[in-house]
Amino acid sequence: MIGEARELTVELGDRSYPIYIGSGLIRGVGQVFRDRDFPVQAPVLLVTDASVANLFAAKVEESLTGAGYHVTRAVVPSGENSKSLEMLDQLVETALKAGLDRQSTVIALGGGVVGDLAGFLAASYMRGVRFVQMPTTILAHDSSVGGKVAVNHRLAKNIIGAFHQPEFVLYDLDTLSSLPTREVRAGLSEVIKHGLIWNKEFVNWCEDNVERLLGLEPDALGYALYEAVV
Ligand SMILES: NC(=O)c1ccc[n+]([C@@H]2O[C@H](COP(=O)([O-])OP(=O)(O)OC[C@H]3O[C@@H](n4cnc5c(N)ncnc54)[C@H](O)[C@@H]3O)[C@@H](O)[C@H]2O)c1
């Protein structure tokens, strides 16, 4: 457990991994790297998009460098168009220039677009390196868990991809407060959809707590995301 995080485990035998959900978790990411024995000498690539970079990248870097890691930031344009082979090619170039090796880690800091793109980079660079998910949208509660990673082809979405599980998922609820209302509503509707399929009581709870959820109250949101991921 880090700080006040809710923690759950994705059970995959010796590839099981934790999901941390809570407020203020970004500042602990360096410590999680140390606790989980990520090698300090191996460079880390932080992949993020232009909107998210301005908001949170410096905090992630500060935590990692404070724990002794060398981090290179790669910023892609915000939006679905970044899930492309052209962008992957640019990221491979950045990774090579930054000296990423087989012991290295690729971090996805952003929504589902960054998660899918950075995840596919991690799955394919040197035939697979460590991958960490730091989701910053509500919708990414779905995309950051399960290991499905992909880029688009001009003829089809998500058509070039792989399964590559993260080492851990760190979901800092504080990052969600800058989300545009449209993204909040779209993400919450996915959370409720999960409940409609799996858990009627949870749907009732969402109904009773809709104002708290729309107001992004950390307690309510943390519980809802936990239930949606379980
Ligand atoms: N791999 C999977 O299992 C899976 C599952 C569902 C969806 N997806 C993929 O996820 C993608 C959609 O994800 P998304 O809805 O998160 O979109 P997104 O990643 O494009 O993010 C939406 C917008 O919000 C901005 N943003 C992100 N975090 C922010 C924050 N904290 N504050 C302010 N702005 C922020 C982004 O810059 C972007 O403009 C699609 O490409 C879809 O295919 C993948």
Side-chain angles (χ1 to χ4, degrees):
M1 180 78 116
I2 49 171
E4 289 301 302
R6 285 186 166 85
E7 180 177 345
L8 59 115
T9 304
V10 177
E11 296 291 353
L12 290 173
D14 60 2
R15 283 295 293 116
S16 298
Y17 60 90
I19 302 172
Y20 306 105
I21 303 173
S23 290
L25 301 188
I26 278 184
R27 59 176 178 267
V29 65
Q31 191 56 49
V32 181
F33 266 54
R34 292 304 287 253
D35 292 347
R36 300 186 69 79
D37 292 329
F38 284 36
V40 176
Q41 72 283 0
V44 175
L45 185 68
L46 177 66
V47 181
T48 186
D49 76 20
S51 318
V52 178
N54 289 334
L55 295 164
F56 312 115
K59 286 183 193 152
V60 175
E61 287 162 354
E62 195 179 311
S63 175
L64 287 164
T65 52
Y69 294 90
H70 181 78
V71 190
T72 297
R73 188 191 299 189
V75 182
V76 303
S78 301
E80 186 71 22
N81 285 348
S82 283
K83 265 176 62 172
S84 68
L85 282 175
E86 292 73 22
M87 200 55 72
L88 181 75
D89 180 75
Q90 285 183 34
L91 289 177
V92 169
E93 189 171 329
T94 305
L96 285 168
K97 286 181 177 163
L100 260 74
D101 59 26
R102 287 187 178 77
Q103 301 304 313
S104 284
T105 303
V106 173
I107 303 176
L109 175 71
V113 165
V114 165
D116 279 5
L117 172 66
F120 190 58
L121 173 73
S124 49
Y125 185 78
M126 292 186 167
R127 301 190 182 90
V129 295
R130 286 182 180 81
F131 178 41
V132 165
Q133 284 270 24
M134 299 183 67
T136 65
T137 64
I138 297 177
L139 189 129
H141 78 272
D142 185 23
S143 57
S144 63
V145 177
K148 284 192 284 175
V149 295
V151 295
N152 302 328
H153 185 269
R154 66 185 174 283
L155 297 181
K157 189 168 151 64
N158 292 330
I159 207 73
I160 306 156
F163 282 93
H164 193 63
Q165 302 289 348
E167 300 291 321
F168 65 88
V169 179
L170 191 142
Y171 213 150
D172 188 334
L173 301 173
D174 294 350
T175 62
L176 304 176
S177 59
S178 51
L179 275 178
T181 310
R182 193 171 149 273
E183 298 295 337
V184 171
R185 289 178 180 270
L188 285 176
S189 60
E190 284 300 314
V191 168
I192 293 165
K193 196 168 92 186
H194 174 93
L196 286 171
I197 298 168
W198 297 107
N199 187 345
K200 187 168 175 296
E201 272 175 37
F202 174 58
V203 177
N204 293 338
W205 180 90
C206 288
E207 227 173 324
D208 292 342
N209 290 276
V210 69
E211 292 306 327
R212 295 175 68 206
L213 288 172
L214 286 170
L216 300 177
E217 262 186 43
D219 254 10
L221 203 53
Y223 171 70
L225 290 173
Y226 179 89
E227 286 298 322
V229 169
V230 170

